[in-house]
Amino acid sequence: DAKTTQPTSMDCAEGRAANLPCNHSTISGNEYVYWYRQIHSQGPQYIIHGLKNNETNEMASLIITEDRKSSTLILPHATLRDTAVYYCIVRGNFGNEKLTFGTGTRLTIIP
Amino acid sequence: DAGVIQSPRHEVTEMGQEVTLRCKPISGHDYLFWYRQTMMRGLELLIYFNNNVPIDDSGMPEDRFSAKMPNASFSTLKIQPSEPRDSAVYFCASSRLAHSTDTQYFGPGTRLTVL
């Protein structure tokens, strides 16, 4: 799997948009970008994933650059419950089931 | 849907004892994964199953660790004998498919403390 690089920690004010960057410069054409988060003492939770196009669901938006070497997870209106460690993962195509978790970004939402 | 169920949620045992962790995947999911999380090593995959068959156990640390999946709704991770360095949170996850467009759903974890 291609490696990812994320900032160790970030702060965001409650109610503002939280933008979490991720670099994956060695990503190959058939690899997806996944985002998971882990709230303290809980199991990781799936947020969103994408291949080339930008994606949006009820939790977040995922913006992938045209060259696919980086992406940004956007939480549009952060709440205190969004405080968690966010993992950006590049996952291989069919036949590669592994999710390789890095160290992630510890996001703290400030009241 | 109850999600992935793990038991016990907390386990405290003494070095040398056998420990068995249990997992019930989401109904209809064909893939089951066991992960371990520690401060030092982060979240790492130990083993995963497809249709009850172990596919990749390369992450299992040593022979003291074993995992089984006797049927589609139950899996165990056993440590015998346990050691203090096995102290960690163990997560079980399941997914419907192996395809990269499918997602893994994690259980709440079992926090193991080996004294």
Side-chain angles (χ1 to χ4, degrees):
Chain A
D1 288 349
K3 292 183 178 180
T4 62
T5 305
Q6 300 178 251
T8 302
S9 64
M10 292 181 62
D11 293 338
C12 178
E14 187 179 16
R16 305 296 293 269
N19 296 276
L20 291 88
C22 178
N23 287 320
H24 32 78
S25 58
T26 60
I27 192 171
S28 63
N30 60 0
E31 289 179 319
Y32 287 75
V33 179
Y34 272 76
W35 284 83
Y36 279 74
R37 73 180 182 184
Q38 187 173 22
I39 297 170
H40 182 61
S41 298
Q42 298 183 21
Q45 176 190 24
Y46 166 79
I47 302 173
I48 198 168
H49 72 277
L51 181 63
K52 296 180 181 179
N53 300 321
N54 298 337
E55 303 287 345
T56 296
N57 62 21
E58 65 278 4
M59 291 183 68
S61 295
L62 174 60
I63 308 299
I64 303 174
T65 59
E66 190 170 346
D67 62 8
R68 302 186 72 237
K69 293 184 177 182
S70 65
S71 61
T72 301
L73 178 74
I74 301 173
L75 308 178
H77 305 288
T79 70
L80 297 178
R81 290 175 296 179
D82 292 322
T83 293
V85 177
Y86 287 77
Y87 298 97
C88 170
I89 301 165
V90 171
R91 186 184 185 192
N93 207 345
F94 183 77
N96 183 341
E97 300 84 356
K98 294 182 179 181
L99 285 175
T100 303
F101 289 80
T103 54
T105 296
R106 182 173 298 278
L107 175 67
T108 302
I109 306 302
I110 302 172
Chain B
D1 195 335
V4 175
I5 299 172
Q6 291 186 247
S7 65
R9 292 295 308 277
H10 302 274
E11 177 78 29
V12 179
T13 189
E14 293 187 346
M15 182 175 62
Q17 297 298 307
E18 178 180 294
V19 175
T20 300
L21 310 181
R22 297 173 175 79
C23 175
K24 176 179 170 56
I26 294 172
S27 177
H29 282 194
D30 291 335
Y31 285 81
L32 183 139
F33 305 80
W34 282 102
Y35 291 85
R36 177 174 69 175
Q37 187 170 37
T38 62
M39 288 293 293
M40 291 293 294
R41 301 176 66 89
L43 195 62
E44 49 184 350
L45 178 66
L46 300 178
I47 185 172
Y48 75 90
F49 295 82
N50 175 24
N51 290 324
N52 314 337
V53 176
I55 302 301
D56 185 348
D57 64 355
S58 60
M60 295 286 263
E62 48 195 276
D63 292 344
R64 297 185 296 106
F65 286 69
S66 62
K68 294 182 179 180
M69 192 165 186
N71 58 64
S73 59
F74 183 66
S75 176
T76 60
L77 178 66
K78 186 175 294 186
I79 308 173
Q80 166 64 20
S82 59
E83 297 181 3
R85 59 189 169 130
D86 301 330
S87 297
V89 181
Y90 291 81
F91 291 103
C92 176
S94 70
S95 67
R96 190 171 52 90
L97 300 170
H99 197 277
S100 54
T101 59
D102 200 29
T103 62
Q104 293 182 19
Y105 296 87
F106 284 76
T110 295
R111 181 174 296 277
L112 173 65
T113 302
V114 183
L115 303 175

